[in-house]
Amino acid sequence: MTQRTIAAELAPIVSRDRVIDTVRPLLRTAIVIERRFTVEDLHRLSGVSVRTIRSYMANDPGEVREPSLSAALSLAVVIGPHAVNAVLAIIGYGNASPMDEPDEREPIRLLINGMAHWAILTRCAADGIIDHTEEADTTKAADGLIAELLPYSSTGKAA
């Protein structure tokens, strides 16, 4: 049996062209279009040399250099989260955020989980009484609400 090899299977996940085609527009946008940084600013903030940054932005295909992973990520961190996500998207990852920053989805998660607990309490109390058949559900829902809200309370902050 002959095994077929598809050309796409031979290509690496992260190719030179993909890295260049991702990093070059990020640099051009930040420096030339938006003018948020100069090449010198990016050098000072990222530690990547001025000459190296300029080589990543070269127009001539023969002169353009492929950014190393360390350089691409160093520059991306300085440019901003959208740049970090663009670099990570090369390997199929995204939604990166600094680990020391609060998750912006946290309030939504809190509301969704809290509403689920409130829905149980509302259903059980709809007839105006919580009887022994509903006690286990309401206790679990109340415990769930407390667990969700405790970190935001003065009691939770004291712990």
Side-chain angles (χ1 to χ4, degrees):
M1 173 183 250
T2 305
Q3 186 173 7
R4 246 180 48 175
T5 303
I6 299 172
E9 293 173 354
L10 297 176
I13 294 169
V14 179
S15 70
R16 177 183 192 277
D17 290 342
R18 285 187 68 193
V19 174
I20 291 169
D21 291 344
T22 300
V23 175
R24 185 175 14 187
L26 291 171
L27 292 171
R28 286 183 178 170
T29 300
I31 296 169
V32 178
I33 298 170
E34 295 174 349
R35 298 181 184 262
R36 292 186 311 135
F37 301 98
T38 64
V39 174
E40 290 75 18
D41 291 336
L42 286 177
H43 156 66
R44 184 175 40 78
L45 296 168
S46 70
V48 178
S49 77
V50 169
R51 184 176 177 189
T52 302
I53 295 170
R54 287 194 174 123
S55 73
Y56 298 156
M57 296 173 57
N59 287 324
D60 183 357
E63 291 181 17
V64 69
R65 285 185 44 206
E66 175 187 0
S68 66
L69 177 60
S70 60
L73 288 173
S74 294
L75 291 165
V77 166
V78 172
I79 294 170
H82 73 284
V84 174
N85 284 328
V87 171
L88 292 178
I90 296 170
I91 59 168
Y93 285 75
N95 297 324
S97 62
M99 293 175 64
D100 59 345
E101 288 184 10
D103 185 354
E104 62 191 33
R105 295 168 295 190
E106 180 66 20
I108 299 300
R109 185 199 58 77
L110 174 69
L111 289 173
I112 291 169
N113 292 347
M115 288 173 66
H117 298 304
W118 279 113
I120 293 168
L121 291 168
T122 302
R123 177 181 47 82
C124 292
D127 60 359
I129 185 170
I130 296 176
D131 61 27
H132 68 284
T133 63
E134 299 163 323
E135 186 175 351
D137 289 342
T138 57
T139 299
K140 187 175 177 181
D143 289 345
L145 271 173
I146 291 168
E148 287 291 330
L149 297 173
L150 187 62
Y152 300 96
S153 70
S154 59
T155 302
K157 292 199 187 306

